[in-house]
Each structure stands twice: as C-alpha cells, then as structure tokens.
Amino acid sequence: MNRRILLIAGARPNFIKIAPVHKALSAVPGFDVKIIHTGQHYDREMSHLFFDQLGIPEPDINLGVGSGTHAEQTAQIMRSFEKVVLDESPDMVMVVGDVNSTVACSLVAKKFQGIDVAHVEAGLRSNDRTMPEEINRLVTDAISDILFTSERSGDRHLRAEGVPDEKIVFVGNVMIDTLQHHLERARETGTVAELGLKERGYGLLTLHRPANVDDPTVFAPMMEAISRISESLPLVFPIHPRTRAPYERWCADRGSRPPGIRVQEPLGYLEFMHLTSSSSLVLTDSGGIQEETTVLGIPCLTLRDNTERPVTVDEGSNILVGRDPEAILSAATETLAGRGKKGSVPEGWDGRAAERIAAHLRSCWV
Ligand code: UD1
Ligand code: UDP
C-alpha cells in the first residue's frame, strides 16, 4: 500500500522548497502525496504565482488561515490542520523551512497519534532566540523523526542537541534544486531588459525581517545607507508586504523618495531569479536569497548580525554586514570596486537534494 504523505507549505519560501520535493516523490512509486497550503501567505504574488511558475499542482487543501499575531496564526493553523489530519490519517507529515506553518503542523502531527514528522532544512541555527524562526526551528527539530539537512552545520547542531545519528540525513539544498531546474527559463523572461536595466548595471534589495523593518530607529538609518548606495548603483526593490508601510513612512518622514531605488511589487520566482543572476550586488535579509546568490556567485551583503546558513559565508559569496550604516556602505563600496566575494558551491547543492529525500524515504519504507 502506498504511504500517505501530507506536504505542508504556507509562505513564499516554502513553495520554492516543496516544488522539487513534490516532483521527486511523485516520480517514484510508493507514495501518495497531498499538498496542504496553510494560507499563511495569500496574495497572488506571494503564493499562487509560485504554483503556476514552478508547476506545483494546486494544493489539495487550503486552510486559508491568513495573517495574525504569532499566537493567532499558529493556533489557527493548528486548529484547521488537526481536522485535516483526522480526515486523512497520513503516515507522515513533511514540513519545510522555519515559518509558523512549519512548527504549527509539526506540533499537530506529532501530538496527534504520534504521526511521523519529516523536516526538510533541519538543523539550521542562528543562535538568536529573538528571531521567531529560530524558535520554530528548535521546536520542529526537537519533535521530528527524520531531519533532512541542507548544509553540514545542520548535522553538527542536531548532534550537539542530542539527536541520534540515524535520524539525521544530509541531502543538500532543495531550494537549489528549484534554482537549477528553472534558471534557463528565468533568463528567458527577459526581465532585465524589460525593466530597462543592463547586465551587472544594478543591484537588488529585499528586506522583511521584523528586526530590520518593524523598528523605525533601525530601518531609517539602514535605508539612508542604502539610498546612498543607490546614488551610484540603481537598486531594484521588490517589496515584501510587511515592508510596504515602514518604507512609505520612511519616505514620508524624510520628505522624498530616493530616485535610485525602484520599488516593485514582489516578483515571480522566474523574474526575481533573472534579476538576481544578472545583478552586480544583492542586499538582503532573506534566508533563501543568501543561498541562491552563493550558487550564482553573486556578491551578497546580508543585513543581519547572524545567519543560520553559515556555509554561504564560509564557502559562498555572502558577507554578514549587519545593520550599521557605515558598514553597509563600506561593504557595498568594496564590492562595486570589484572586490566582491565570489565563493564556491557548497556540498550537496547540486540540484538533486529532493531525489535524495525520495530515495531515503523509499529505503525506510520498502
Ligand atoms: C514569514 C515568515 C518568515 C519568512 C517570510 C517569507 C514566520 C514567523 N515568518 O514572514 O520566516 O522569512 O514569511 O516571506 O512564519 N502579508 C500580506 N500578504 C500576504 C502575506 C502577508 O499582506 O500574502 C502581510 C500581512 O500584513 C502580514 C505581514 O505581511 O501581517 C506578515 O506576514 P507573516 O506571514 O505573518 O510574516 P512574514 O513577515 O511574511
Ligand atoms: N523571491 C521571489 N520574489 C521576490 C523576492 C524573493 O521569488 O520578489 C524568492 C527568492 O528567490 C527566494 C525566496 O523568494 O527563493 C525567499 O523568500 P523570502 O525572502 O520571502 O523568505 P526567507 O527565505 O527569508 O524565509
């Protein structure tokens, strides 16, 4: 009999991660996979666009939870997902990443008749417990039965936390599976020319971490430094919905919009990947973008004090710049002077991570 897996996704980076996993599990016999969308992200350009572009089948069930405080959102996902688990009685719930949907569905699965939980992208640690994602990672990993890791630091953290070796399975990075699979198509979108940009003649900016955007005393000086960079390098800024209001407030407070910063609605994956691959510099606080720039060899300045993805700094093109305006400016100046970091591609970031996940599950179950 086929094993029934519920594959969970709720927020933008989750969709990019489940695409290759769903495909790999569907390509081998033995599994019935259903996609459960929690509805954490719901705008077309934060959700459905990714299903269309990446060829992910329509979710079998959409819980439609929407936004809320952490407690409201997590609780609402748990309440709705419990009914799904009761109806479906799956053999396994598979979660990806570190968002509220990840922890909420893991808790429901494990506490409800002890259904196995598999966590894709396990073991990442920023060691910063003020980050909501760090709490989600710690809780999810603590109750997971199979911990698929994307970089070796994940294996080390899990071992140090007492997870037995047999539960830890290094498979590499599923986000890079998606990148490798779609890069050619991304280039065919012609987004760079469409926006009137020139190869390597612009930078790309994304910001959405609460620690960066929610507090104006952090956001404003950071944005001033970024606007200085945009005087010599035009910056494209596909703006996350969380960041829209803080950005508008910052522009209103200073009485002008920096002409070098081009604000866009969030972009589709293909358009965004084309822009990333042709840029000369990426400024970001995203988790996934640190990984994608590493594989593309594009210098990435991460506007955070820590990263849960240290391999992107140790081996890749990522520099942890922090939030200090002078540090941001000087790192950008260095990069634009041709002294940007190039780096190399980490182990297992080869486009085959999801295949390894499917192979491991088959070996456990047949
Ligand atoms: C969430 C994740 C974060 C991840 C990010 C990816 C948690 C705790 N955080 O942060 O780890 O890096 O997604 O993008 O799970 N909103 C919209 N439309 C949408 C979705 C959100 O307008 O489709 C707005 C709402 O005002 C909402 C706010 O964005 O309150 C924040 O959304 P939420 O999902 O709570 O957190 P993110 O900041 O998106
Ligand atoms: N991304 C996208 N369009 C955008 C911005 C980001 O397709 O306008 C993609 C990006 O390439 C990466 C993922 O979204 O694959 C990262 O998501 P996000 O930064 O929202 O979340 P995080 O990785 O920080 O959790």
Side-chain angles (χ1 to χ4, degrees):
M1 204 170 83
N2 280 356
R3 303 290 179 147
R4 283 157 305 162
I5 300 178
L6 299 183
L7 182 58
I8 311 299
R12 175 167 67 187
N14 295 169
F15 311 134
I16 295 154
K17 290 166 198 172
I18 67 158
V21 174
H22 185 272
K23 191 167 161 223
L25 291 175
S26 306
V28 292
F31 308 116
D32 284 335
V33 185
K34 286 194 175 171
I35 296 177
I36 312 298
H37 189 324
T38 65
Q40 176 172 349
H41 284 177
Y42 43 85
D43 290 344
R44 181 178 173 276
E45 62 272 15
M46 294 297 288
S47 171
H48 274 90
L49 192 48
F50 294 88
F51 285 77
D52 292 347
Q53 289 196 341
L54 304 179
I56 311 168
E58 277 289 302
D60 294 276
I61 298 171
N62 191 324
L63 306 178
V65 298
S67 304
T69 65
H70 279 275
E72 284 166 353
Q73 189 176 61
T74 308
Q76 193 52 48
I77 297 169
M78 290 181 73
R79 284 168 70 111
S80 306
F81 185 57
E82 187 174 49
K83 295 193 189 78
V84 174
V85 172
L86 280 165
D87 287 349
E88 300 283 336
S89 359
D91 297 300
M92 170 174 277
V93 168
M94 184 177 280
V95 296
V96 298
D98 55 15
V99 303
N100 284 348
S101 303
T102 311
V103 71
C105 293
S106 306
L107 278 169
V108 170
K110 200 65 213 168
K111 292 216 298 182
F112 180 78
Q113 294 182 351
I115 291 166
D116 278 359
V117 174
H119 184 202
V120 176
E121 204 181 87
L124 296 183
R125 297 288 182 267
S126 65
N127 295 313
D128 172 5
R129 292 195 181 193
T130 66
M131 247 185 125
E133 293 83 357
E134 184 75 351
I135 305 300
N136 294 344
R137 292 179 199 120
L138 285 161
V139 174
T140 304
D141 285 345
I143 59 174
S144 288
D145 300 280
I146 306 183
L147 297 104
F148 291 116
T149 57
S150 55
E151 60 170 83
R152 292 290 181 187
S153 74
D155 303 28
R156 289 194 292 275
H157 293 135
L158 295 171
R159 276 195 209 107
E161 288 167 20
V163 178
D165 273 352
E166 59 272 20
K167 287 187 172 185
I168 305 169
V169 186
F170 175 79
V171 288
N173 194 328
V174 292
M175 206 156 208
I176 302 310
D177 292 8
T178 301
L179 174 59
Q180 301 225 337
H181 195 74
H182 293 280
L183 189 57
E184 223 22 73
R185 281 179 66 220
R187 293 196 167 120
E188 283 162 17
T189 60
T191 309
V192 172
E194 221 166 79
L195 294 181
L197 301 165
K198 292 205 171 60
E199 292 261 326
R200 314 280 166 231
Y202 65 93
L204 196 54
L205 168 67
T206 83
L207 290 172
H208 72 279
R209 293 282 156 218
N212 282 344
V213 307
D214 288 1
D215 178 355
T217 65
V218 175
F219 187 63
M222 209 167 68
M223 282 309 306
E224 285 305 335
I226 293 169
S227 80
R228 289 271 306 282
I229 299 169
S230 76
E231 289 165 13
S232 47
L233 181 76
L235 296 176
V236 182
F237 187 18
I239 201 160
H240 189 284
R242 175 186 280 279
T243 311
R244 174 69 78 171
Y247 185 76
E248 292 305 325
R249 206 163 37 237
W250 172 68
C251 290
D253 287 349
R254 76 200 288 268
S256 69
R257 306 175 80 81
I261 300 182
R262 176 175 184 152
V263 175
Q264 303 266 151
E265 288 303 310
L267 290 164
Y269 180 78
L270 297 177
E271 291 79 7
F272 187 79
M273 217 30 68
H274 188 200
L275 284 187
T276 306
S277 64
S278 297
S279 67
S280 55
L281 165 72
V282 173
L283 296 150
T284 193
D285 60 9
S286 161
I289 295 168
Q290 295 172 60
E291 301 180 332
E292 290 160 343
T293 46
T294 271
V295 168
L296 294 166
I298 303 292
C300 177
L301 305 184
T302 295
L303 309 183
R304 288 174 46 188
D305 298 324
N306 51 56
T307 180
E308 60 288 329
R309 293 161 161 90
V311 78
T312 62
V313 175
D314 296 341
E315 296 178 25
S317 60
N318 190 18
I319 302 177
L320 266 188
V321 175
R323 282 96 57 85
D324 174 62
E326 287 309 317
I328 297 171
L329 261 174
S330 105
T333 307
E334 279 292 294
T335 302
L336 295 177
R339 292 186 285 274
K341 213 169 156 192
K342 285 275 176 252
S344 58
V345 177
E347 178 189 1
W349 294 23
D350 58 357
R352 307 192 64 181
E355 276 174 38
R356 289 189 279 270
I357 289 173
H360 180 79
L361 292 182
R362 269 181 69 71
S363 74
C364 297
W365 274 340
V366 291

